[in-house]
Amino acid sequence: MSKTLSIVKIGGNLIEDVDKLHEILDLFAKMDGSKILVHGGGKKATEVGNLLGIEAKMTNGRRITDAQSLEVAIMVYGGLVNKNIVAQLQAKGTNAIGMSGADGNSIVAHKRPVKPIDFGFVGDVNAVNGTGITTLLNAHFTPVFCALTHDGKGQLFNTNADTIASELAIGLSGDFETTLYYCFEKKGVLNDISDENSVIQHIDSEKYTKLVKERVIADGMLPKLHNCFHALQNNVKQVCIGDHTMLENSSSNYTKLTL
Amino acid sequence: MSKTLSIVKIGGNLIEDVDKLHEILDLFAKMDGSKILVHGGGKKATEVGNLLGIEAKMTNGRRITDAQSLEVAIMVYGGLVNKNIVAQLQAKGTNAIGMSGADGNSIVAHKRPVKPIDFGFVGDVNAVNGTGITTLLNAHFTPVFCALTHDGKGQLFNTNADTIASELAIGLSGDFETTLYYCFEKKGVLNDISDENSVIQHIDSEKYTKLVKERVIADGMLPKLHNCFHALQNNVKQVCIGDHTMLENSSSNYTKLTL
């Protein structure tokens, strides 16, 4: 298995900033080998939802995706954000092709069980169709995934973009030596949350357990890293967490996770 | 050249009607051989635009696509309508993949010249990238195109769906024996516009000239048929015009155009 694959997930906040998005897409376009981009949606969906008079519904502080919110997600993530990223990548010489989980039946999901909370049209992933995506990669397409999946029976779902990225990485690790990059605002996992320069360069399973015990990894970082180690335990070669500068070849100031 | 390709364009009005859309997609899913679906957008874009407070801008009775209207088109055609059709086709066993002209750099266009009227972000097609689309078709994907193109420099455009369909047919006729189907509300080109049963079954170039002279073909039908003969003159094998029932194998009550 000699072919490498890079899967890059960029968060919603990075997409809001037009200049930063350009910069990220420039770096992504320059990456060698097969690659996939996964993007979140950012505040645009909330903005459009508000303009359309759709109130964000919350239960116990968690967002609910009702039928109208799903329509907005499909319009904004699947349409506006996805097509603009595809057009910009094409301008940078990358043969991007926009995808949801329905396209090419690439990510099949089921509606999240309604207990204890009914999240509405939120999908939990069953399976990634590696064959179809591998066909696209081998034909030198660069898939750009938005955070939508489907149930194979005509229903689309909202699905967390971090999950989409890790499931894709797991599903494709049979065919590729896969590295998963999570781009966000910080330079990586920090030893001291108040010190941006305290990036922990390498975390393996043992160190991970220790950092969780010491509560260095806590709050929002916990599910994120849990997701990363889940991917590593399922044949993904490595996971990198940091800001977009980690996509540069020369960069080393980010957190690298291995088993 | 033994491989056949069917390109089916369905109009916006047909998409509005949920039951009819199901029926059309059922027939499309059952068609043999390589196939492509092209869809318009229907009134949903106007509805969403109105809800977002975007006024439809007109000059001399022609619709102008300003930056905001383009955003709505990308959301509604490229997102909502496209992804829902893809998910429904997947449920019917067709391996659909949603596309705009930016995806896979499949349709490159330029901004329509601003004189005599500046239509805004409306694109006139330069070229169809047959290679990429043929790769998808040979890998048993069924592309579903919305009516968006791009300039290869990061700009998306609104482009007429009839034009997208005929340009795709022309661009792929080097690799496939191509039939182009235009589905609309009527059973075909009518001899007597007040008689739905007066469908002209076959029109060749000679008869076309005659029908135009006799003003049997007039008004909205003129540019439509001009478009069809343009495709035929560029190696498309045949063009069929009628309602969706023409997609059934057994059907014969529609208008077939050949050179």
Side-chain angles (χ1 to χ4, degrees), chain B residues 9 12 57 62 66 75 102-103 110 148 164 203 217 239:
Chain B
K9 189 260 168 173
K57 295 202 180 58
R62 303 286 294 273
D66 62 4
M75 290 200 286
D103 297 285
H110 60 273
L148 297 169
I164 300 248
I203 303 176
I217 297 170
V239 183

Side-chain angles (χ1 to χ4, degrees), chain A residues 44-55:
Chain A
K44 187 79 186 177
T46 315
E47 266 176 49
V48 171
N50 288 343
L51 283 170
L52 292 175
I54 298 168
E55 259 176 77

Side-chain angles (χ1 to χ4, degrees), chain A residues 105-126:
Chain A
N105 193 31
S106 51
I107 313 174
V108 181
H110 60 274
K111 188 181 185 305
R112 182 170 296 172
V114 298
K115 289 182 179 177
I117 298 174
D118 184 356
F119 285 101
F121 296 102
V122 169
D124 289 328
V125 176
N126 301 352

Side-chain angles (χ1 to χ4, degrees), chain A residues 6-21:
Chain A
S6 304
I7 299 184
V8 177
K9 188 258 165 174
I10 50 173
N13 294 345
L14 300 176
I15 290 169
E16 316 273 283
D17 181 337
V18 177
D19 294 335
K20 186 154 276 177
L21 180 60

